[in-house]
Amino acid sequence: MDLDRSGPVPLYFQLASRLETAILEGELPPGSRIENELALSGRLGLSRPTVRRAIQELVDKGLIVRRRGIGTQVVQGRSTRKMGLTGLYDDLSQDDKHPSTKPLLHEVVPAGEKTSAQLGIPVGEPVLHLRRLRFSDGAPVALMENFLPPEFATITAEQLVQHGLYQLMRSQGATMKVARQTIGARHPSPEERRLLQISRPDPVLTMDRVAYDHSGRAIDLGHHAYRPDLYNIEVTVVDR
């Protein structure tokens, strides 16, 4: 790389900028692996702290990720979800992120007290319980759990591989009109860490949602965990 070693621009910034340009212009396409810090510092004649800081700049921008056992790899940047009554599958499709889904759980179970209270149904009433791992361009981005009223029990695991949940619900006549949701962050569970390929210090971004139809009836209870290096949520605030 052509780095200016005598100018005022820090070397880490120059290196990060060169790599960012290569990623955005397609010279380093998604899935490409970047040399480790030791190899890069030796090849470019830079200190390891300089290379480490440059790599971290790109990680913070969501352009590359570090994966245990794989190394440092290029991604297509974070998906930004604007708050609305859409599903993650639809959002990723609109961003050309090529979503895919791995069903982990598909069962009809009696509603517990917490689920019944949030869905407004009697305790013990059957609900469809789903858990899926959602991928964006082949990288795991979200672990999703949903509870649905019994009329949606005909939705199959095979359908969830090909379509988003809200697509399937709408095809059965559901109309999502309003939702109450809470956004937060926490330490991932061991299962979340394994499935989402999260390094040990990283948190997960969480969203809990109850969606209601046009009559005010709750039709979806969701608990989702996202990788913050690949996903963020955009909220518009209006002064009333």
Side-chain angles (χ1 to χ4, degrees):
M1 293 185 182
D2 182 19
L3 301 176
D4 182 0
R5 299 171 188 268
S6 60
V9 181
L11 288 172
Y12 84 86
F13 185 83
Q14 293 184 54
L15 176 57
S17 297
R18 302 294 195 281
L19 290 172
E20 181 176 354
T21 298
I23 292 170
L24 296 179
E25 292 184 353
E27 295 177 29
L28 289 172
S32 300
R33 295 185 184 180
I34 294 178
E35 294 173 281
N36 60 39
E37 294 173 5
L38 183 60
L40 267 177
S41 62
R43 185 165 64 84
L44 299 177
L46 299 173
S47 68
R48 289 190 67 180
T50 296
V51 173
R52 184 178 304 117
R53 185 168 180 183
I55 294 297
Q56 189 60 48
E57 290 281 320
L58 300 179
V59 171
D60 292 342
K61 289 184 177 183
L63 294 172
I64 62 176
V65 293
R66 292 187 176 109
R67 294 180 183 169
R68 184 177 303 172
I70 296 177
T72 304
Q73 198 168 24
V74 177
V75 295
Q76 285 189 331
R78 286 187 178 94
S79 296
T80 298
R81 183 175 193 174
K82 295 184 178 180
M83 282 294 88
L85 275 172
T86 59
L88 178 57
Y89 192 98
D90 299 326
D91 295 336
L92 294 174
S93 296
Q94 290 175 4
D95 288 342
D96 294 324
K97 295 295 185 181
H98 306 100
S100 57
T101 305
K102 179 181 180 181
L104 302 175
L105 184 65
H106 182 285
E107 61 180 359
V108 176
V109 297
E113 290 186 5
K114 190 172 182 179
T115 299
S116 66
Q118 291 178 299
L119 287 178
I121 60 177
V123 173
E125 182 167 329
V127 292
L128 178 60
H129 181 203
L130 305 172
R131 293 184 75 241
R132 293 102 65 216
L133 184 60
R134 178 64 45 76
F135 296 83
S136 172
D137 286 326
V141 68
L143 184 60
M144 314 172 73
E145 181 176 37
N146 294 79
F147 295 87
L148 308 178
E151 63 262 34
F152 298 108
T154 55
I155 294 175
T156 67
E158 291 75 18
Q159 289 175 316
L160 290 167
V161 172
Q162 301 296 327
H163 304 282
L165 177 60
Y166 277 15
Q167 289 177 335
L168 295 171
M169 293 175 68
R170 288 190 174 102
S171 72
Q172 295 193 13
T175 55
M176 274 68 77
K177 289 296 183 182
V178 67
R180 184 182 72 249
Q181 52 195 31
T182 303
I183 301 169
R186 58 171 170 77
H187 292 295
S189 68
E191 181 188 37
E192 289 169 338
R193 196 183 305 280
R194 175 177 58 83
L195 292 173
L196 293 175
Q197 299 179 12
I198 297 173
S199 60
R200 187 161 297 277
D202 292 343
V204 287
L205 177 67
T206 63
M207 184 173 69
D208 298 320
R209 170 188 282 186
V210 181
Y212 302 85
D213 66 10
H214 65 283
S215 69
R217 184 175 68 102
I219 57 173
D220 172 44
L221 168 61
H223 306 294
H224 300 170
Y226 304 88
R227 276 179 54 169
D229 60 331
L230 296 181
Y231 193 78
N232 57 26
I233 297 174
E234 180 179 311
V235 180
T236 300
V237 180
V238 179
D239 185 18
R240 292 188 296 178

